[in-house]
């Protein structure tokens, strides 16, 4: 009982701190879209590094990765963790180049880049809709993970839904009032907490196990895992998925716009691999170790909350706070970015409503509330394990990867080629994910992999048959942000 009270007290202080940051941000941030959605484009190295890290690490990391490792072994560390660590090159190859374009043309949402680069409202709309469709389920897993983590603090007897309400209300509260300023500074706090918390959990569990771990864990410590999930094809497919999806997560893409200068991208490239490995490897190994303490779980998502219950009260409080930090720091960023997509890309651009900067900011708050409620509704009846929901969501984000790379680096890419490639890649991915197309046609790959390959071929073929607009080539490559 004393341990539960201590853990609850620590979590309570943490939630009050988030609320205080939200209130402070509301009092000190501007009342315009750039301030509300992009923190005034003023983030330095520390803030951008920690908000980007906290935005990526989520309930998938703290709940989903241990659950998958519990069932399938350490393959998820190689398939997801290592890939995520070494995408640091994308901060220079993609992030810096996107930042240059956003500084030059004043982009606020990711869709604005795609629409402007290819002079295609249809392409902007396609990105916007796909981002919204695949973001709400991913926000829901943060609420699911938060409720299950709080259950580990409070023990049995409290229904799931009130805990989900608490998590949703806290996130909505500071995002609604504080905007991106609150999101960034809560992310800084949460980024530090989640790194320390995972380290504490790893050390505490390792000491508690002593020498209990034996040869019975060998199938979980080697490839392809006890059920063969992490074959070479499964491993490579997940590595490609995360490489393509990560820069296209709307909340991640929008982080590229927030930098004050080019220097933060250099810092990210250097420190990112270490920070990711410090979190992903312990998360995966904790899941495998969980088989010793809790063998035969029917719901693998329970393993991390159950492992927390075995820790001393003070240690558990730190780790539980870290888990909440990971999921809340992702959900808040997703809510804010989704709000900017609806406000800027649908209301202002598609429906041609003329809004003042203050009206855009106010509408953004209402959209945050609406998307948050939709995500909460999904969380009340989870459609699957956290890893399953996340993998589905990641594929939706990865669909437009060839369009992004062509837009950044290929002068010869045309509007017709980009639109055709995007429609083919998206259509095939959605067809396979929904079951409208036979999964046998994927050759055993995750659906988005062959979809992107075919879409890339269409993009290249149609672009070579059409002419790029000379004014756009000049605007970007000769006189604009990427001038040579």
């Amino acid at each position: 009982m004393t341990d539960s009270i201590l853990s609850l007290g620590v979590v309570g202080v943490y939630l009050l701190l988030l609320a205080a940051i939200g209130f402070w941000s509301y009092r000190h941030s501007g009342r315009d879209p750039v301030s509300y959605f992009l923190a005034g484009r003023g983030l330095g190295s520390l803030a951008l590094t920690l908000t980007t890290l906290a935005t990526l690490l989520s309930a998938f990391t703290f709940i989903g990765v241990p659950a998958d490792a519990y069932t399938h072994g350490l393959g998820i560390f190689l398939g997801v963790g290592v890939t995520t660590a070494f995408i640091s090159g994308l901060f220079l190859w993609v992030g810096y180049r996107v930042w240059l374009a956003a500084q030059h043309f004043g982009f606020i949402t990711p869709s604005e880049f795609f629409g402007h680069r290819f002079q295609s409202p249809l392409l902007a709309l396609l990105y916007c809709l796909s981002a919204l469709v695949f973001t709400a389920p991913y926000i829901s897993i943060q609420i699911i993970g938060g409720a299950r983590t709080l259950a580990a603090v409070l023990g049995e007897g409290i229904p799931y839904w009130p805990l989900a309400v608490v998590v949703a209300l806290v996130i909505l509260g500071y995002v609604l009032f504080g905007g991106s300023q609150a999101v960034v500074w809560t992310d800084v706090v949460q980024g530090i907490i989640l790194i320390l918390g995972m380290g504490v959990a790893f050390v505490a569990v390792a000491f508690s196990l002593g020498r209990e771990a034996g040869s019975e864990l060998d199938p979980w410590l080697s490839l392809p895992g006890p059920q063969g999930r992490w074959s070479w094809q499964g491993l490579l497919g997940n590595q490609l998925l995360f490489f393509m999806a990560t820069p296209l997560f709307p909340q991640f893409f929008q982080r590229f716009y927030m930098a004050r200068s080019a220097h933060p991208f250099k810092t990210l490239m250097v420190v990112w691999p270490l920070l990711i490995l410090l979190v992903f490897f312990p998360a995966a190994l904790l899941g495998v170790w969980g088989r010793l303490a809790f063998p035969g779980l029917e719901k693998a998502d329970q393993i991390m909350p159950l492992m927390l219950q075995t820790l001393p009260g003070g240690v558990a409080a730190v780790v539980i706070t870290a888990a909440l930090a990971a999921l809340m720091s992702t959900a808040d960023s997703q809510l804010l970015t989704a709000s900017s997509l609806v406000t800027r890309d649908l209301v202002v651009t598609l429906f041609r409503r003329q809004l003042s900067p203050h009206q855009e900011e106010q509408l953004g708050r209402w959209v945050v509330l609406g998307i948050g409620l939709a995500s909460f509704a999904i969380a009340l009846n989870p459609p699957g394990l956290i890893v399953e929901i996340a993998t589905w969501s990641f594929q939706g984000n990865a669909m437009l990867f060839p369009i992004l790379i062509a837009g950044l680096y290929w002068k010869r890419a045309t509007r017709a080629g980009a639109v055709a490639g995007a429609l083919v890649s998206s259509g095939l991915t959605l067809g396979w994910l929904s079951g409208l197309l036979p999964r046998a046609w994927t050759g055993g790959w995750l659906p988005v992999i062959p979809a992107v390959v075919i879409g890339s071929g269409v993009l290249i073929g149609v672009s070579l048959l059409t002419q790029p607009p000379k004014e756009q080539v000049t605007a970007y490559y000769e006189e604009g942000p990427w001038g040579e």
Side-chain angles (χ1 to χ4, degrees):
M1 183 59 141
T2 304
D3 286 350
S4 294
I5 293 173
L6 175 61
S7 297
L8 189 60
V10 172
V11 171
V13 170
Y14 161 70
L15 296 179
L16 287 174
L17 176 61
L18 298 188
I21 292 173
F23 179 74
W24 178 88
S25 299
Y26 179 73
R27 295 288 302 273
H28 292 86
S29 60
R31 296 292 183 266
D32 60 273
V34 172
S35 296
Y36 187 69
F37 294 123
L38 299 181
R41 303 187 197 271
L43 300 192
S45 294
L46 176 65
L48 187 65
T49 297
L50 289 175
T51 189
T52 304
L53 178 73
T55 294
L56 186 66
L57 301 181
S58 65
F60 173 81
T61 312
F62 265 77
I63 307 293
V65 169
D68 192 84
Y70 177 89
T71 305
H72 300 289
L74 279 182
I76 193 165
F77 171 67
L78 296 175
V80 177
V82 172
T83 305
T84 304
F86 290 101
I87 61 167
S88 56
L90 292 176
F91 293 118
L92 178 62
W93 304 326
V94 173
Y96 174 62
R97 210 161 169 88
V98 165
W99 173 77
L100 287 173
Q103 290 286 109
H104 189 84
F105 295 110
F107 302 143
I108 291 178
T109 70
S111 311
E112 291 173 1
F113 165 75
F114 288 97
H116 187 271
R117 168 63 183 87
F118 291 104
Q119 292 295 286
S120 173
L122 177 60
L123 198 57
L125 179 62
L126 181 61
Y127 178 89
C128 174
L129 294 179
S130 65
L132 291 172
V133 167
F134 288 96
T135 291
Y138 199 62
I139 297 174
S140 75
I141 72 173
Q142 317 311 325
I143 300 173
I144 295 165
R148 290 175 180 169
T149 302
L150 287 178
V153 180
L154 302 172
E156 301 294 332
I158 298 181
Y160 166 82
W161 72 265
L163 300 178
V165 169
V166 170
V167 174
L169 285 177
V170 171
I171 298 170
L172 279 172
Y174 69 80
V175 176
L176 276 171
F177 291 105
S180 60
Q181 194 89 313
V183 168
V184 167
W185 290 112
T186 55
D187 281 356
V188 169
V189 173
Q190 291 172 139
I192 295 170
I193 290 173
L194 65 89
I195 294 170
L196 294 176
M198 185 60 82
V200 169
F202 181 75
V203 172
V205 172
F207 274 103
S208 69
L209 286 174
R211 296 187 177 181
E212 290 182 27
S215 60
E216 68 268 25
L217 291 183
D218 285 351
W220 285 267
L221 297 174
S222 58
L223 299 178
Q227 299 179 26
R229 173 178 176 179
W230 294 104
S231 63
W232 72 268
Q233 190 176 29
L235 197 64
L236 181 59
N238 277 273
Q239 290 171 335
L240 290 172
L241 170 63
F242 274 79
F243 185 81
M244 294 188 297
T246 301
L248 280 162
F249 291 146
Q251 71 276 9
F252 206 86
F253 199 102
Q254 207 165 40
R255 287 296 177 281
F256 299 148
Y257 293 174
M258 295 183 179
R260 179 191 305 149
S261 66
H263 184 72
F265 294 100
K266 299 175 184 177
T267 303
L268 271 169
M269 281 191 65
V270 174
V271 303
W272 182 263
L274 176 62
L275 295 176
I276 290 294
L277 293 175
L278 283 174
V279 175
F280 265 90
F281 182 69
L285 198 53
L286 284 170
V288 173
W289 285 346
R291 299 201 66 83
L292 296 174
F294 302 97
L297 282 180
E298 291 185 6
K299 293 183 178 179
D301 277 351
Q302 295 176 339
I303 188 57
M304 195 61 171
L306 288 173
M307 293 287 278
L308 295 180
Q309 293 176 1
T310 68
L311 301 177
V315 175
V318 172
V319 180
I320 288 165
T321 305
L324 291 173
L327 61 94
M328 288 187 173
S329 60
T330 298
D332 57 21
S333 301
Q334 291 174 315
L335 278 170
L336 195 65
T337 299
S339 170
S340 71
L341 292 170
V342 173
T343 303
R344 300 274 303 179
D345 299 329
L346 297 184
V347 175
V348 175
T349 302
L350 182 64
F351 299 124
R352 301 184 184 281
R353 293 291 302 274
Q354 297 297 318
L355 301 177
S356 68
H358 179 65
Q359 287 174 321
E360 278 193 46
E361 180 243 357
Q362 289 298 312
L363 177 60
R365 297 182 195 275
W366 283 107
V367 174
V368 165
L369 180 61
I371 295 172
L373 292 175
S375 301
F376 173 73
I378 297 172
L380 286 179
N381 186 24
L385 293 174
I386 283 176
V387 167
E388 294 171 349
I389 302 171
T391 302
W392 183 85
S393 179
F394 294 163
Q395 292 187 76
N397 285 287
M399 297 185 301
L400 299 183
F401 184 75
I403 316 305
L404 172 63
I405 299 304
L408 291 172
Y409 284 101
W410 194 28
K411 292 182 183 181
R412 191 67 181 73
T414 67
R415 174 171 55 190
V419 170
L423 290 175
V424 169
S425 180
S426 302
L428 289 174
T429 302
L430 295 174
W432 279 317
L433 289 177
S434 64
L436 294 176
L437 296 176
R439 288 293 286 266
W441 292 359
T442 65
W445 294 96
L446 292 169
V448 74
I449 305 299
V452 163
V453 171
I454 296 170
S456 298
V458 171
L459 163 65
I460 295 169
V462 175
S463 291
L464 292 176
L465 293 174
T466 53
Q467 290 296 320
K470 186 176 180 181
E471 61 274 13
Q472 283 303 98
V473 173
T474 300
Y476 276 88
Y477 291 95
E478 297 173 8
E479 300 176 357
W482 310 330
E484 299 174 353

